[in-house]
Amino acid sequence: MKTIKLVPFLLLFLASYTFAQPLLKQKKEQLKSLKVAYITEELKLTSEEAEKFWPIYNAYDDKQKELRQEKLRSYLDRLDSGEIDKMNDKEATAFLNQIENTEDELYQLRKKFIANLKGVLPPIKIIKLKKAEEGFNRKLLRQYRDKIMRN
């Protein structure tokens, strides 16, 4: 009898999950489009610069996201699970080394990205890129905070 009562809730959950996936993908694409427009405007990219810049940027951004999701998320999961309270010094040192290696990978990736950009953009636009990325993130956070405060 209890199983029969759970069926509608399970169906509702599965339906909402199924519909949420495309919506999430759509939101990510929308966010990416906004970011492209924002950075293009802030850097005042010419069409020739944009044609060379965006493939380099997108490859860098994809690799950076992959590294963050793959490694840093697993670290955060370990931290949140309470596992660190059970670590001995040797395990903690190994874990710290893993975190440092990942941070170094991200740093090396950024360094390579900037080196690749030097052949595509003038130095001032590369500097402005960092400012534009931070400005976009701040704008996004501000909009999110404003939306939460209104609700």
Side-chain angles (χ1 to χ4, degrees):
M1 187 70 179
K2 289 181 183 178
T3 309
I4 293 172
K5 290 181 181 179
L6 288 176
V7 170
F9 292 112
L10 281 172
L11 290 175
L12 181 64
F13 174 75
L14 288 173
S16 65
Y17 180 77
T18 303
F19 289 113
Q21 292 300 323
L23 185 62
L24 184 62
K25 187 175 182 181
Q26 182 183 4
K27 288 287 186 185
K28 284 183 179 181
E29 289 299 319
Q30 183 182 19
L31 190 60
K32 188 173 184 174
S33 295
L34 290 171
K35 186 176 183 179
V36 167
Y38 185 87
I39 290 174
T40 300
E41 176 64 30
E42 289 296 307
L43 297 184
K44 297 181 180 13
L45 293 175
T46 66
S47 56
E48 297 83 24
E49 288 173 336
E51 188 178 316
K52 294 174 184 172
F53 168 78
W54 285 110
I56 295 169
Y57 186 87
N58 290 334
Y60 161 75
D61 197 44
D62 291 345
K63 182 64 178 171
Q64 179 185 27
K65 284 178 188 170
E66 180 185 314
L67 269 173
R68 287 185 188 279
Q69 287 176 346
E70 178 184 309
K71 295 185 179 180
L72 293 179
R73 288 281 180 221
S74 69
Y75 301 155
L76 291 176
D77 290 345
R78 287 177 74 184
L79 293 172
D80 290 342
S81 72
E83 190 178 323
I84 58 170
D85 295 329
K86 300 171 189 166
M87 287 182 183
N88 60 36
D89 283 348
K90 184 177 178 182
E91 292 168 331
T93 299
F95 183 56
L96 186 58
N97 287 337
Q98 288 175 339
I99 293 171
E100 289 172 340
N101 289 338
T102 300
E103 291 293 334
D104 189 49
E105 281 183 67
L106 286 166
Y107 172 73
Q108 293 302 324
L109 181 66
R110 182 75 182 185
K111 232 175 132 173
K112 182 180 176 188
F113 167 64
I114 290 171
N116 289 338
L117 286 182
K118 287 180 180 178
V120 174
L121 297 177
I124 192 70
K125 286 189 179 183
I126 296 171
I127 294 168
K128 286 182 179 182
L129 172 63
K130 179 70 173 164
K131 181 180 177 193
E133 288 173 320
E134 290 174 3
F136 181 78
N137 290 335
R138 270 194 304 277
K139 181 178 176 182
L140 204 60
L141 285 171
R142 196 174 319 115
Q143 288 176 349
Y144 180 72
R145 192 177 330 119
D146 291 347
K147 183 178 178 181
I148 289 175
M149 297 303 274
R150 279 183 268 152
N151 291 334

